[in-house]
Amino acid sequence: MTTNFHRFHESWTDQLQRLTAELAKNSAHPKSPDDHHQARRLVDKVVTHYEDYYSAKAAAAQSDVLALFAAPWASSLERALHWVAGFRPTTIFHLIYTESSVRFESRVIEILRGQRTGDLGELTPHQLGRVSELQCQTVKEENEIGDELGAWQEAVARAEPGWAGMCGSGPNGLDNLLDRLVRVVTKADELRIQTLRRVVELLTPQQAIEFLVAAAELQFGIRGWGSHHDRLRAVA
């Protein structure tokens, strides 16, 4: 299953690159109802692509959850940044704030003159309020999942000494411990995709496209940088 998910991850990433290129071509301010419809269709297509990833990952977790933490398909840098076998959901909010600030600062003169494009630099007070609310809620859920992972680690430490003890059928037997870890990873992945959906829903189609492009470019950038560093280490 590890090999199967590794192949899926590579194929999924390739498809994400193609979808991101398609998004970038349609990032201009929509001028007609058809433009809005096309933008929303593309956004939904990308969100569905992420949903497919987590569906495949859930199946992989049932087969070998520990492989998701080892993540042989990821670079050392990517693994160093992982939180419960994936990206930290609150990263989404840092990205939103950063992209919004950069776009606002680059166009502040035009905005003051009343020129509007409707991009991420022009988030409304209502949108900013909703982003803040979602961030607070996500931090709370992240902390709860972190506590669950900590409790799982303590359970492993309290397991009966020796491999034979851990292979028992009690609550600290290996199978039960791994089942608990699967549930923790599943919760973390549900929070990841749920956060993505909620943020996209509160953005306009144009803003959602800009956000998804920025998120993918961040992912590709980290992956490329990490892979390059791993290659340099391999030949050193």
Side-chain angles (χ1 to χ4, degrees), residues 26-229:
N26 290 270
S27 60
H29 180 58
K31 295 180 175 61
S32 69
D34 284 345
D35 290 342
H36 279 277
H37 178 74
Q38 171 71 359
R40 180 54 66 185
R41 184 189 67 79
L42 286 173
V43 168
D44 292 343
K45 187 176 180 180
V46 174
V47 172
T48 298
H49 190 58
Y50 280 103
E51 290 171 345
D52 291 344
Y53 178 84
Y54 289 111
S55 293
K57 189 178 175 186
Q62 292 292 335
S63 175
D64 186 359
V65 67
L66 296 180
L68 297 180
F69 285 84
W73 48 84
S75 67
S76 299
L77 176 60
E78 289 173 290
R79 288 192 292 272
L81 293 172
H82 279 176
W83 172 85
V84 195
F87 75 88
R88 184 178 285 274
T90 45
T91 303
I92 287 176
F93 301 103
H94 299 307
L95 182 61
I96 283 282
Y97 291 133
T98 298
E99 284 295 308
S100 180
S101 296
V102 168
R103 289 174 183 271
F104 177 82
E105 290 172 6
S106 68
R107 296 185 51 255
V108 64
I109 302 301
E110 289 86 350
I111 292 173
L112 291 175
R113 290 173 178 170
Q115 299 174 11
R116 296 287 186 265
T117 63
D119 64 10
L120 276 174
E122 297 180 14
L123 292 175
T124 66
H126 175 72
Q127 286 177 312
L128 289 170
R130 288 290 294 125
V131 169
S132 180
E133 290 172 7
L134 283 175
Q135 183 178 17
C136 291
Q137 181 180 345
T138 304
V139 168
K140 178 176 179 294
E141 294 182 53
E142 268 189 7
N143 290 338
E144 290 171 354
I145 293 170
D147 289 344
E148 288 189 41
L149 181 60
W152 178 83
Q153 292 168 334
E154 290 177 5
V156 172
R158 291 197 303 270
E160 296 178 29
W163 181 252
M166 286 195 71
C167 287
S169 59
N172 287 334
L174 182 61
D175 287 344
N176 286 324
L177 286 170
L178 292 179
D179 285 343
R180 283 181 60 183
L181 185 58
V182 168
R183 290 194 291 273
V184 174
V185 172
T186 299
K187 283 187 178 181
D189 284 342
E190 287 174 349
L191 182 58
R192 282 184 261 267
I193 190 61
Q194 173 183 280
T195 304
L196 179 69
R197 283 198 210 100
R198 288 176 173 175
V199 166
V200 166
E201 286 171 0
L202 65 84
L203 299 174
T204 67
Q206 178 190 357
Q207 291 168 343
I209 285 177
E210 292 168 349
F211 160 69
L212 290 171
V213 169
E217 288 179 344
L218 175 63
Q219 180 177 337
F220 299 146
I222 291 173
R223 183 174 180 80
W225 186 22
S227 297
H228 176 68
H229 184 262

